[in-house]
């Protein structure tokens, strides 16, 4: 929501997000829609409710590692 880049390991995200990033090229933009089974499913806590579909718009700026 800040509009600033975030840096994180794909081993620390829900499976659907990691799958959605796969194959992206630096400079690319992708909308990633994650069904509950590949997101938080029935174990969601906090602001994300259980069985919610997640939607992200990702601009890939760099890859490391």
């Amino acid at each position: 929501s800040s509009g600033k880049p975030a840096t994180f390991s794909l081993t620390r995200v829900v499976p659907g997000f990691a799958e959605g990033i796969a194959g992206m090229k630096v400079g690319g933009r992708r909308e990633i829609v994650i069904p509950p089974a590949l997101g938080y499913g029935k174990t969601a806590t906090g602001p994300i409710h259980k069985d919610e579909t997640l939607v992200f718009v990702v601009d890939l700026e760099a890859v490391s590692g």
Side-chain angles (χ1 to χ4, degrees), residues 15 35 37-38:
L38 294 175

Side-chain angles (χ1 to χ4, degrees), residues 17-32:
F17 192 84
E19 289 178 19
I21 295 292
M24 280 188 77
K25 295 181 180 180
V26 172
R29 172 176 272 190
R30 185 175 287 176
E31 179 179 74
I32 302 173

